[in-house]
Amino acid sequence: QARLVESGGGSVQVGGSLRLSCTASGLGGRSSVMAWFRQAPGKEREGLAAILRGGHLTKYADSVKGRFTISQGKGEDTIDLQMTSLKSEDTAMYYCAADRGRVNGAHLMTDEYTFWGQGTQVTVSS
């Protein structure tokens, strides 16, 4: 059974940085892409950054491009999200996800992500 576990969330001031990590187990060959999403209260879940397993292709949402960097961690099923220049609007629950393996390339198509972590809270305050 697939399991994804996020870590690294917390509280930071505007302009600060945080690094999130996600370790997946039990994916086998089912997923091609891992990604980070977030959801703020009252808002829809938003795809932020995706990376092809193996770490060669990435995709970013415009809202985080240039500030967030997704990378392969220590192992094919570990990914990190380095977040810099954080803004108050980045406050949300952040989720790691793995897709169904049906789409070529890195993508942020929410409906194609079938495995999800429990989330880690990021709070950015002024």
Side-chain angles (χ1 to χ4, degrees):
Q1 185 174 351
R3 183 167 180 252
L4 284 72
V5 179
E6 303 95 339
S7 62
S11 297
V12 65
Q13 291 191 322
V14 169
S17 301
L18 275 177
R19 188 177 187 89
L20 306 182
S21 292
C22 170
T23 299
S25 59
L27 290 176
R30 288 175 287 178
S31 296
S32 302
V33 184
M34 293 181 69
W36 287 97
F37 289 76
R38 69 185 178 192
Q39 189 166 21
K43 294 189 176 181
E44 291 188 357
R45 190 164 292 190
E46 176 189 12
L48 302 177
I51 187 166
L52 202 64
R53 289 175 80 190
H56 299 298
L57 287 177
T58 58
K59 183 177 179 67
Y60 293 92
D62 288 343
S63 59
V64 303
K65 200 173 293 183
R67 299 190 299 124
F68 291 10
T69 302
I70 190 169
S71 61
Q72 200 79 45
K74 295 180 180 179
E76 183 182 57
D77 290 338
T78 300
I79 61 170
D80 297 328
L81 185 69
Q82 179 68 46
M83 306 185 292
T84 63
S85 302
L86 284 162
K87 307 174 183 179
S88 57
E89 51 262 45
D90 292 319
T91 295
M93 186 70 79
Y94 283 67
Y95 297 91
C96 176
D99 79 340
R100 302 176 189 271
R102 304 189 303 191
V103 178
N104 290 327
H107 65 90
L108 291 171
M109 300 166 63
T110 306
D111 289 346
E112 289 294 322
Y113 285 86
T114 189
F115 305 110
W116 293 86
Q118 293 298 306
T120 185
Q121 177 69 36
V122 171
T123 302
V124 185
S125 58
S126 55

